Amino acid sequence: MSEHIVYTHWSGKLGFKSHIGKHIVPVDGEHEPESDTGPGPKALLLTSLTGCAGIDVAIFLKKLRQDYQELVIEARAPLTEAHPRVYTEIHLLFRVAGKDLSESSVRKAISLSMDKYCGVAAMLRAHCPVHWELDLIDSDDWEG
């Protein structure tokens, strides 16, 4: 059985540094410009989701022989007003740009990730709905 181990150390005020293997990720609960040393934990949760899905989709697009030039995943998640403030739903927008991409192949790659392979999506989906949509763009029209 494998496991992940993370060590998180207080760095002052509401700041922390999470040590993940040889990487250090700042985490901060402050949102004032003068004391904000890193993203908040909930935003990092969304980053984990978009990163997990992005890795899967990149792998599947290659296997499906889809030559994409850009892959951007936007996550939006409204929070409840009452504490604990949790996401009510998560919406992902996959923007994929390339020449002669097959929409059905790109949708298949995203579906495989979201429905079967992305463990972060599976964990989050147990607590709130996770929806996605695709914006397929010809690379000549890509504006980033």
Side-chain angles (χ1 to χ4, degrees), residues 8-106:
T8 300
H9 301 266
W10 178 63
S11 59
K13 295 186 181 181
L14 298 180
F16 291 83
K17 290 186 179 167
S18 290
H19 298 256
I20 307 166
K22 64 182 181 179
H23 305 283
I24 298 173
V25 178
V27 182
D28 201 326
E30 274 297 328
H31 301 292
E32 299 301 321
E34 65 276 358
S35 58
D36 183 0
T37 62
K42 290 181 190 110
L44 286 171
L45 192 61
L46 292 178
T47 299
S48 295
L49 173 59
T50 57
C52 182
I55 291 166
D56 287 344
V57 170
I59 290 168
F60 295 133
L61 287 176
K62 183 176 180 178
K63 286 182 180 182
L64 293 168
R65 295 188 171 105
Q66 295 300 298
D67 187 23
Y68 65 97
Q69 281 74 51
E70 296 289 343
L71 171 57
V72 176
I73 306 153
E74 175 185 306
R76 291 182 179 263
L79 290 160
T80 59
E81 292 298 322
H83 289 280
R85 297 194 67 202
V86 297
Y87 295 135
T88 58
E89 68 178 334
I90 300 170
H91 185 81
L92 301 176
L93 173 60
F94 289 82
R95 297 181 74 213
V96 184
K99 273 286 195 206
D100 302 318
L101 293 173
S102 161
E103 183 173 346
S104 64
S105 293
V106 176

